[in-house]
Amino acid sequence: LAHASMLTKQGILNAEELIQITDGLNQVREEIESGEFEWKIQDEDLHMGIEKRLTSIIGDAGKKLHTARSRNDQVAVDFRMYVLKHNRIIASKIKELISVFVDLAKEHKETILPGMTHLQHAQPISFAFHMLAYASMFKRDYERFIESYKRNNKNPLGCAALAGTPHNIDRFETTKALGFDEPTINCLDTVSDRDFALEILFNISMLMMHASRISEELIIWSTSEFGFITLSDEYSTGSSIMPQKKNPDVPELIRGKTGRAYGNLIALLTVMKGLPLAYNKDTQEDKEPVFDSVKNALISIEILKETLKTMTVNKENMYKACKKGHLTATDLADYLVNKGVPFREAHHITGRAVALAESKGMDLSDLSLEELKSIDKRIGDDLDLSLENSMKSRKSYGATAPERVKEQIEYFEKFLKESE
C-alpha cells in the first residue's frame, strides 16, 4: 500500500489505479486474515500468490504494483518490520519484569540473606539488594532491544533486487509511510543484510541467559536444603509417584529454553557466515529461528514474572542461613583495620576469632564481646558483629545498606517512568 501510494505521487501509477490497488489489497488482506485465501503451490511463493490474487480481483492494474521493487526488498522490509515490532514488544515485557523485582525490593529492604560467591556464604545482604541485581541485568537487556530498534529502523523498500531501480521513486516517502527513520544507504548491502535478525537473536540469548540465572537460584532456593522460597502451586508441579514433592518445573523449563535460544543464534550465524553479496536463498532460513526465539522469549518472561509475583519468601530460613559460614568475618577485619591494624594482621586475628567460634559450635556473630576481646586487646566495646549491623554498614554507592537500596529502588522507578 505504501509502495502504491508512492508510485502514484511519482506519476508512475494514476489515481484510478491507486484506488483499484488499494481496494484489491485490502480485500486480499481480509481474505488472508479470515483464512479464506487459497495458497497455491504453483504460485512459487507468497509474493506471487498475493500478486496473482490481486490481479484476478482488479485486472491489469494489479500487474503494475511490482514496478520498481523486487521480492528481495519486499522480504527485507517485511522481516525487518516484524523484528523491529518485536524488539519493542519484548522490551515492554522486560520492563514489566523489572517492575516485579522492584516491588520485591520494596518489600524486603530489611530481609537478610547470605550473599554468596562460589555458592559459598560470603557476606550478609538484603533480599532487596539481590533482587535489584537482577533488575540491573534486565535493564541492560531492555537497553539492548531499544538500541537495536533504533539502529535498524531503516527502510529497505526501493532497493529492488540489489542495485536500486531506474524508475523515479521516492524512498523517503515510503520511509515516512512505514514508520522508518530513514532509507538504508546501500541497496547491495540491504537485500542481504540480516544483522537486525542476528541482533534480536543475540539480545534474546542474553535475555534468556539472565532469566536462566534467576531460574537457577529459584530452583536452589526452593530446595529443602535452602528453603528460602516456596513456589506457588500454580507455577510448580507434583511428582507422578512421590506425593510429597513439589517440582520447580517453570524455572527448569526456562533454564532449558535458554539452550534453544542459543541454538537459534548459532544457526543463523552459521547460515550467514559464507554468503556472498547480495541475496541468496539460504537466508530463507532466517525466519524460523527468529520466530521461535521471539515466541519462547515472550512466554518465558511472562511466566517468570508470574512465578516471582506468586512465590513466598521465607525470611526466617534466610536469616538462619546467615548464621552459617561466619558472614561477619570481613566486618571484624575491617574493624581492626580502622583501628590501625595492618590488613594482613587483621586477617589473622579474624581467623583466630572464627576458630574460637568453631570450637564453641557457634557462628562468629554470636560470640560475646568478652570472648572477642580475649582474642585481641584492640577490640573494644564499639565492635558490633551482628548480621543487621554488617548489612547496614555497607553504605558505599550501589551497596546493600537500606539507604543505598532505597536509592536503587528510586533509580529503577525513575527508569520505568521515563521509559513509558
Side-chain angles (χ1 to χ4, degrees), residues 223-393:
T223 61
S224 299
E225 287 76 10
F226 278 74
F228 288 0
I229 63 164
T230 303
L231 296 175
S232 69
D233 291 344
E234 191 176 0
Y235 296 104
S236 52
T237 60
S239 166
S240 63
I241 192 171
M242 295 169 280
Q244 84 282 7
K245 286 187 73 210
K246 181 188 283 192
N247 298 326
D249 282 8
V250 165
E252 288 175 355
L253 287 165
I254 293 171
R255 193 174 59 181
K257 285 184 180 294
T258 301
R260 186 166 170 171
Y262 292 176
N264 286 334
L265 171 61
I266 296 301
L268 186 53
L269 281 169
T270 305
V271 167
M272 297 300 298
K273 76 175 182 66
L275 296 187
L277 293 172
Y279 181 77
N280 295 272
K281 204 68 171 180
D282 310 51
T283 52
Q284 195 160 281
E285 291 298 318
D286 59 2
K287 313 294 181 306
E288 271 189 295
V290 171
F291 295 160
D292 183 71
S293 282
V294 165
K295 175 185 175 183
N296 281 288
L298 289 170
I299 292 171
S300 297
I301 296 307
E302 181 65 26
I303 201 165
L304 174 59
K305 181 184 74 174
E306 295 304 318
T307 301
L308 290 165
K309 284 170 66 175
T310 57
M311 72 181 182
T312 301
V313 177
N314 303 323
K315 299 180 184 181
E316 290 184 8
N317 288 348
M318 287 183 179
Y319 191 84
K320 287 178 184 177
C322 290
K323 291 289 188 177
K324 300 174 183 177
H326 312 290
L327 300 191
T328 57
T330 308
D331 297 84
L332 176 55
D334 289 337
Y335 170 86
L336 290 166
V337 168
N338 287 332
K339 293 289 185 178
V341 180
F343 178 80
R344 189 52 58 199
E345 184 181 348
H347 191 279
H348 291 312
I349 294 168
T350 301
R352 294 202 301 273
V354 168
L356 176 61
E358 290 278 348
S359 69
K360 292 178 175 290
M362 302 168 63
D363 184 68
L364 178 62
S365 64
D366 290 326
L367 286 178
S368 69
L369 196 55
E370 286 69 27
E371 288 170 320
L372 289 166
K373 283 181 177 180
S374 71
I375 295 168
D376 192 279
K377 63 182 180 181
R378 287 164 291 192
I379 295 176
D381 293 338
D382 58 339
L383 176 62
D384 183 352
L385 291 185
S386 68
L387 296 171
E388 291 81 1
N389 184 67
S390 175
M391 187 264 285
K392 292 177 180 179
S393 69

Side-chain angles (χ1 to χ4, degrees), residues 181-196:
D181 291 332
E182 60 185 358
T184 55
I185 192 65
N186 181 282
C187 293
L188 183 61
D189 168 61
T190 299
V191 297
S192 59
D193 170 31
R194 292 299 181 269
D195 289 5
F196 61 92

Side-chain angles (χ1 to χ4, degrees), residues 144-201:
R144 268 185 284 273
F145 282 98
I146 294 301
E147 287 161 4
S148 288
Y149 176 86
K150 292 176 181 176
R151 179 167 41 255
N152 294 298
N153 194 29
K154 295 176 173 57
N155 179 22
L157 193 58
C159 284
L162 75 160
T165 173
H167 298 284
N168 181 31
I169 63 170
D170 185 350
R171 294 187 64 205
F172 290 90
E173 178 66 28
T174 55
T175 293
K176 182 179 178 182
L178 294 173
F180 291 106
D181 291 332
E182 60 185 358
T184 55
I185 192 65
N186 181 282
C187 293
L188 183 61
D189 168 61
T190 299
V191 297
S192 59
D193 170 31
R194 292 299 181 269
D195 289 5
F196 61 92
L198 287 164
E199 277 192 37
I200 198 171
L201 288 176

Side-chain angles (χ1 to χ4, degrees), residues 101-116:
F101 285 116
V102 172
D103 287 342
L104 284 166
K106 287 180 182 177
E107 187 179 347
H108 293 285
K109 292 194 290 291
E110 303 286 342
T111 301
I112 300 177
L113 85 159
M116 299 186 184

Side-chain angles (χ1 to χ4, degrees), residues 205-224:
S205 295
M206 186 76 91
L207 171 67
M208 292 300 295
M209 181 268 285
H210 291 152
S212 184
R213 292 185 73 179
I214 181 63
S215 294
E216 173 69 6
E217 295 209 301
L218 295 177
I219 292 164
I220 292 171
W221 289 346
S222 66
T223 61
S224 299

Side-chain angles (χ1 to χ4, degrees), residues 400-414:
T400 189
E403 60 263 44
R404 290 307 191 186
V405 167
K406 183 173 180 290
E407 288 176 350
Q408 293 168 45
I409 290 170
E410 290 170 353
Y411 169 87
F412 286 108
E413 287 182 324
K414 182 180 178 183

